[in-house]
Amino acid sequence: MLNGAHIILYSADAEADRAFIRDVFGFAGVDAGSGWLIFKLPPTEIAVHPTDGVGHYEFYLICDDIEKTLTKLAAQGVTISQPISDRRWGLIASIKLPSGSDLPLYQPRHPTAYDLEN
């Protein structure tokens, strides 16, 4: 049946953002042709939230320790575009991709789907 998810990030500078994901995050990938990199992500989960209107999608990278993660990324020259915000359900922040897009990071306080593996 289903065996994964394919996430697409649209970018004004796809080549730079691909290099960032490869070099800064260290995600392994394959070349689907002509330098079009497809990255293997860490384990992924999906949540469905209610809305009054048409649905939309959000994408967050999950981390165990957001402060440590942001410190490491800043040391690599990554711009923190939104500092840590404390929410009831977790901590969130955003970093800037080379294209100028924000990429949110998330440290959940609730159980995650990864807990099913242990």
Side-chain angles (χ1 to χ4, degrees), residues 5-28:
H6 185 84
I7 300 163
I8 299 171
L9 299 179
Y10 290 93
S11 172
D13 190 347
E15 188 173 318
D17 286 350
R18 286 184 200 120
F20 179 91
I21 290 168
R22 180 193 62 222
D23 300 340
V24 175
F25 294 152
F27 291 166

Side-chain angles (χ1 to χ4, degrees), residues 23-59:
D23 300 340
V24 175
F25 294 152
F27 291 166
V30 297
D31 188 331
S34 303
W36 197 278
L37 301 176
I38 306 292
F39 296 98
K40 179 179 180 186
L41 292 178
T44 306
E45 59 187 24
I46 187 170
V48 180
H49 293 240
T51 183
D52 290 335
V54 176
H56 68 279
Y57 307 94
E58 295 183 35
F59 178 73

Side-chain angles (χ1 to χ4, degrees), residues 47-87:
V48 180
H49 293 240
T51 183
D52 290 335
V54 176
H56 68 279
Y57 307 94
E58 295 183 35
F59 178 73
Y60 293 79
L61 289 176
I62 297 174
C63 56
D64 294 326
D65 185 329
I66 199 165
E67 289 184 23
K68 209 180 266 187
T69 300
L70 291 176
T71 298
K72 183 177 179 179
L73 290 171
Q76 292 177 277
V78 175
T79 300
I80 310 304
S81 54
Q82 176 191 347
I84 297 171
S85 175
D86 191 340
R87 308 287 173 93

